[in-house]
Amino acid sequence: MHEGSWGISHTRVPTESRPGHVALIAGFYEDVSAVAKGWKENPVEFDSLLNESKYTWGWGSPDILSMFAKDVSGDHVFIHTYDADDEDFGAHDVTKLDTWVFDNVKEFFRAARNNQSLFSKLNEEKIVFFLHLLGIDTNGHAHRPSSREYKDNIKIVDAGIKEIVSMFKHFYGNDGKTAFVFTADHGMTDWGVHGAGHPSETLTPFVTWGAGIKYPQNVSTQQFEDAFLKEWKLENWKRQDINQGILPLDYLNNTDLFKAESIFTNAIQILEQFKVKMTQKKEVTLSFLFTPFKLLSESKQHNILRKARSYIKQRKYDEAISLCKELIHLALKGLSYYHTYDRFFLGITVVLGFVGWTSYASLLILKFHSNLPRGGSKEVKKPSRLLQYSFVAIGVLVAFFLLIQAYPWTYYIYCLLPVPIWYAVLREFQVIQDLVASLLSCPPSHFVGYLLVSTLGIEVLVLSFFYRYMLTAGLIAFAGWPFITQLWTRAKRTSLNWIFFSLLLAVFPLMPVVGRKPDISLVMTAGLLVLLLSLFVVASLTKRKDSFVNEELPLHLLQMLSMVLSMYVVYSTDNSLLKKQGLPLINQIISWIILASSFVLPLLSPPILFERLFSILLSLMSTYILLSRGYEALFPLVLSCLMFAWIHMEQETLQQSGVSCKQKVNSIQFIYNTDLTQLRQLCLDDIRRAFFLVFFLVTAFFGTGNIASVNSFDVTSVYCFLTVFSPFIMGALMMWKILIPFVLVMCAFEAVQLTTQLSSKGLFLMVLVISDIMALHFFFLVRDYGSWLDIGTSISHYVIVMSMTMVLVFLNGLAQLLTTKKLTLCGKPKSHLI
């Protein structure tokens, strides 16, 4: 309002410290492969403002400053950092991260007055001072932006900046040659996280004043879509938003000639990028297939540049600037055009691959795992030579087409993969014939009904990624299953359990996103409910099994003790952090011991279905409690209760359909090697079972308050394990928290497979078909325009569904290990009970 100009800078995903600083200081958006190095190393070396300076002095975080000091050309960048362990979310006062910077800068300038060599360097041209202030970010993570700690930190930074600016002016004798820029690498959500594309994360402040900067400009009206001007009471002070890559002329207090020449140079820089991109694409595309960007032809480029230069010579600077801005706009549009030049072509190949793969998986199910009526000869016919030669010819033609255009190796994967897939599909021509014959013999009403139900199921799964309440609708529909299938009359008690826990689980997708409203009392409630359930189970098993007290009771008591310790650690750690006393060492040790033991204790329990599943629940819940901050602690408990009900419901369904079940659920044992002779062929009901599995896996992710965005993962959930910033360990712990409900679902499905004599291979193929149909759906929804929130979310959805199959393989292996492996103590031999 008195000295400079201001606006909002628009950053981009991922809104993390490293890529944000690279954009600010190096002038480009860094490749996201930097995440593989924890945002601490340079995957590709780059030049920066600091490297181009005469001298740079920086103070702040070792994570940020070191990447700009690394591999600089010459000894002219000097950094001063605190220890990495000082970045402790649980520390008594994290404002010290900012006061440390201010104090060291002041001490530096005091020392410079008595150091002639340093004093002379400080009076050179092209000097940069970089003050990295991490305290506000750390307080935001630890206490959230609405907290008193966060607001107090802002006051400290404001006071510190005022003092530093005054010191600079005094040191340089008010010569007016210092420019000040105050901005941020990213924003933060109200619940204290960042990383995704929400406006609160991508919009950052940009305030600049001093040498070469325009003074404040008073205006009567301004048009912006957001309400920031009114909220900040700056309606009458000109706001000038900026984007990366385009020179913000309105900030510069210089001659019109300087501005015109600067924007002209900026336009040429961007135009050169456009030319390089166009040349690269033209060189690898057949001349008769190449379609240039028509809005910026070569003649138009020369015409705009010639006119702009002419206007500058005629001192028509406004006209020159306007032309250069038009050229920048067209060049950026052209860059996007050539960057996405092959999108339609690649899109067709991806769709062909998806459809072919889904078709092939479906044919395998019908051929090997179903009772599809077989027509014609039962002998397996070899594919005709003509079919083989045709697909070989197609593959050679596609490869030749890619080779002469010098496409990258990834194009070969996209384009050649559909060839063998479709060959495999057409090889199963007999199965296709049998399928068509079967469909023709099926009543049209039945076929249309199955198709509508299948489509509705897939759409509910897809919509649940956008609207979590669709999971609630699905679970309410599940509650009506016993009435549709007459299970209500056959097994009322089991049906009541199913209905009750389906409706109870349906509440969770309606709850707010995790992390926004922490409530430790709900975590304690979850722990108490698990303990009460444990006491009930122990009492039940004591009555039912004579050997329980001597052989299995100690293990159950140990797991209950683990739960009590988890509750104590959560409560104690929360109190300690509220008192600014940090994470107690004993709590940290207990937490890691509980985590490690959760993988071992279930393996000590007998492999009887119910007892092993309950042991797994107890162990995983002890860890989950340590990683919970609110209502999500109750989710695995309710989910597991529904899974137990599901196991009983499936056995009742199988008995109703006439398949004999030799054992009751309570006496069935998990076995390592399934007897293949006991497996049956798939039926229509198994499609429902596969759908239930996918639905419960999706519910396991979104039901706990997660959204398809990294900003739904609350870093405070790992505070029982560590509070000092460590991206890989924190990320691994948060990932395990996400996977625990998945593991519970997969362990339950191991039991469903066992009780219903279901082939795991056939099931896997059905889940593959469902996930591929969903992935194709999300492929068409992937966006690269609009807000960063829309772009990031669309990509996240696609990646999640594409990963589902691979994650399922991992979870299936882990579930098999947890359910079938039996460890014994005291030197007794290991054995698998069959």
Side-chain angles (χ1 to χ4, degrees), residues 57-332:
W57 285 271
W59 296 265
S61 166
D63 297 338
I64 299 301
L65 292 174
S66 59
M67 69 185 185
F68 293 106
K70 186 175 179 285
D71 299 329
V72 294
S73 55
D75 187 20
H76 64 283
V77 176
F78 309 99
I79 63 171
H80 308 272
T81 65
Y82 39 75
D83 191 78
D85 289 341
D86 291 336
E87 298 176 24
D88 187 346
F89 297 116
H92 173 69
D93 183 15
V94 296
T95 60
K96 65 183 180 183
L97 299 177
D98 295 335
T99 55
W100 183 96
V101 172
F102 294 138
D103 292 344
N104 276 267
V105 172
K106 287 183 280 188
E107 180 57 35
F108 173 81
F109 277 92
R110 275 196 293 269
R113 294 190 178 277
N114 301 317
N115 186 327
Q116 189 57 46
S117 173
L118 178 58
F119 188 83
S120 63
K121 286 180 180 178
L122 290 173
N123 282 278
E124 295 272 7
E125 297 292 325
K126 295 172 65 178
I127 302 296
V128 175
F129 300 100
F130 177 39
L131 280 65
H132 180 248
L133 306 169
L134 187 62
I136 293 177
D137 179 77
T138 307
N139 257 320
H141 285 304
H143 305 287
R144 290 171 174 70
S146 59
S147 65
R148 178 179 56 81
E149 291 85 355
Y150 189 86
K151 292 170 183 175
D152 288 346
N153 203 154
I154 289 176
K155 291 177 183 177
I156 289 171
V157 168
D158 279 350
I161 290 171
K162 183 178 181 181
E163 196 174 349
I164 292 294
V165 170
S166 176
M167 184 202 67
F168 265 89
K169 289 180 178 179
H170 181 260
F171 185 87
Y172 287 106
N174 290 307
D175 61 0
K177 291 183 179 180
T178 304
F180 298 89
V181 177
F182 179 81
T183 186
D185 49 353
H186 55 72
M188 182 175 281
T189 63
D190 291 340
W191 56 99
V193 295
H194 55 80
H198 192 273
S200 62
E201 298 165 271
T202 58
L203 303 181
T204 54
F206 189 87
V207 185
T208 181
W209 66 98
I213 305 299
K214 267 188 181 177
Y215 286 97
Q217 300 171 64
N218 206 292
V219 293
S220 55
T221 58
Q222 299 186 79
Q223 296 297 323
F224 288 94
E225 293 182 359
D226 53 61
F228 295 137
L229 288 170
K230 188 175 181 181
E231 184 181 339
W232 298 336
K233 297 181 176 58
L234 291 170
E235 299 101 314
N236 298 324
W237 300 98
K238 188 174 182 181
R239 165 181 159 185
Q240 301 165 90
D241 288 9
I242 63 172
N243 283 290
Q244 183 66 43
I246 302 174
L247 185 68
L249 283 181
D250 291 337
Y251 279 89
L252 303 182
N253 182 21
N254 215 309
T255 63
D256 289 339
L257 173 61
F258 176 84
K259 291 180 183 178
E261 289 286 3
S262 298
I263 196 71
F264 185 79
T265 303
N266 192 196
I268 290 175
Q269 289 172 337
I270 295 174
L271 181 62
E272 283 303 313
Q273 294 181 50
F274 166 79
K275 287 180 178 179
V276 169
K277 198 75 175 175
M278 181 184 70
T279 303
Q280 287 175 344
K281 184 49 62 182
K282 195 172 184 179
E283 286 176 349
V284 298
T285 307
L286 296 173
S287 57
F288 66 91
L289 292 176
F290 181 71
T291 307
F293 182 63
K294 295 176 182 177
L295 296 178
L296 193 57
S297 62
E298 197 167 334
S299 59
K300 188 165 186 177
Q301 297 171 30
H302 292 307
N303 190 36
I304 292 177
L305 290 174
R306 181 179 53 78
K307 274 188 179 180
R309 177 51 68 192
S310 175
Y311 283 143
I312 292 173
K313 286 181 179 179
Q314 297 170 31
R315 298 184 180 180
K316 296 179 179 179
Y317 301 122
D318 289 340
E319 289 87 343
I321 289 170
S322 179
L323 264 180
C324 290
K325 285 183 176 179
E326 181 190 352
L327 180 58
I328 288 172
H329 172 72
L330 289 173
L332 289 173

Side-chain angles (χ1 to χ4, degrees), residues 708-725:
S709 165
V710 293
N711 70 17
S712 70
F713 307 138
D714 186 8
V715 71
T716 61
S717 63
V718 303
Y719 283 178
C720 289
F721 293 89
L722 75 165
T723 53
V724 176
F725 181 65

